Amino acid sequence: EAAVTQSPRSKVAVTGGKVTLSCHQTNNHDYMYWYRQDTGHGLRLIHYSYVADSTEKGDIPDGYKASRPSQENFSLILELASLSQTAVYFCASSATGQDTQYFGPGTRLLVL
Amino acid sequence: QQQVRQSPQSLTVWEGETAILNCSYEDSTFDYFPWYWQFPRESPALLIAIRPVSNKKEDGRFTIFFNKREKKLSLHITDSQPGDSATYFCAARPTGNTGKLIFGLGTTLQVQP
């Protein structure tokens, strides 16, 4: 089974500050995804990537950047954190030709 | 707009009953429909999935019924157990090799002992 880890597991950030969320997977999956989860909104795709050094916009990319420096690592960057970005963020990965997405444990972000 | 809709938002059943969770979608080109479940303070995990070439998929007590013409599917959980209490997300994958999934808002199931 895929192993996806996220760091930090929780974070308190100040409005206007920069936040970087990290994701690491160890199963050589090509695809990686960042979702945010808010009460009443389910899971929404922010950015995804299918190869190192390339990222794609998801459904709600505004206010977020992503970086995929290697196959194993995928970061989500909030350059200017805002109150509305308080949420739980999940990273996931999947293999090419395989349908299952494996989720990391999540990062709880609180922006004050 | 929400491309994948789920109902009801929440559902309570007694232990041993059948729980029925509904899902509908708009895009007829979606080619894969997984259901993920999520327990409180945990991450989502794949429960069961179906492709439009089938109208039924079973895995133990969990069954997906799929109606392509009406763009509807449902998840039936027979002999519901308290351990089934979780939020269930229906998702759909657009055609293409992106791996993207579009999730519904979820149904929170509570199974009372």
Side-chain angles (χ1 to χ4, degrees), chain A residues 29-41:
Chain A
H29 284 175
D30 294 319
Y31 289 84
M32 296 187 75
Y33 314 84
W34 275 108
Y35 293 91
R36 67 176 280 174
Q37 185 172 40
D38 305 87
T39 302
H41 286 278

Side-chain angles (χ1 to χ4, degrees), chain A residues 50-90:
Chain A
Y50 51 85
V51 68
D53 295 322
S54 178
T55 63
E56 305 291 333
K57 293 181 179 180
D59 299 321
I60 54 164
D62 293 345
Y64 303 93
K65 292 183 180 179
S67 173
R68 181 94 182 267
S70 64
Q71 186 187 40
E72 298 81 15
N73 296 294
F74 192 35
S75 297
L76 186 68
I77 302 135
L78 290 66
E79 294 278 3
L80 294 169
S82 66
L83 295 173
S84 64
Q85 293 177 312
T86 292
V88 179
Y89 291 84
F90 287 102

Side-chain angles (χ1 to χ4, degrees), chain A residues 31 33 35 37 40-43 45 48 57-59 90 96 99-101 103-105 108, chain B residues 32 36 38 41-46 51 89 93 97-106:
Chain A
Y31 289 84
Y33 314 84
Y35 293 91
Q37 185 172 40
H41 286 278
L43 289 155
L45 182 65
Y48 65 101
K57 293 181 179 180
D59 299 321
F90 287 102
T96 302
D99 300 315
T100 305
Q101 290 190 14
F103 284 79
R108 292 184 174 273
Chain B
Y32 171 69
Y36 281 75
Q38 183 179 28
R41 301 189 72 83
E42 293 190 12
S43 53
L46 180 66
R51 300 182 191 281
F89 292 101
R93 185 177 68 191
N97 199 26
T98 65
K100 288 178 57 177
L101 290 176
I102 299 171
F103 285 83
L105 300 184

Side-chain angles (χ1 to χ4, degrees), chain A residues 2-18:
Chain A
V4 181
T5 56
Q6 295 182 231
S7 62
R9 294 294 310 278
S10 67
K11 183 173 181 63
V12 179
V14 295
T15 303
K18 182 177 181 178

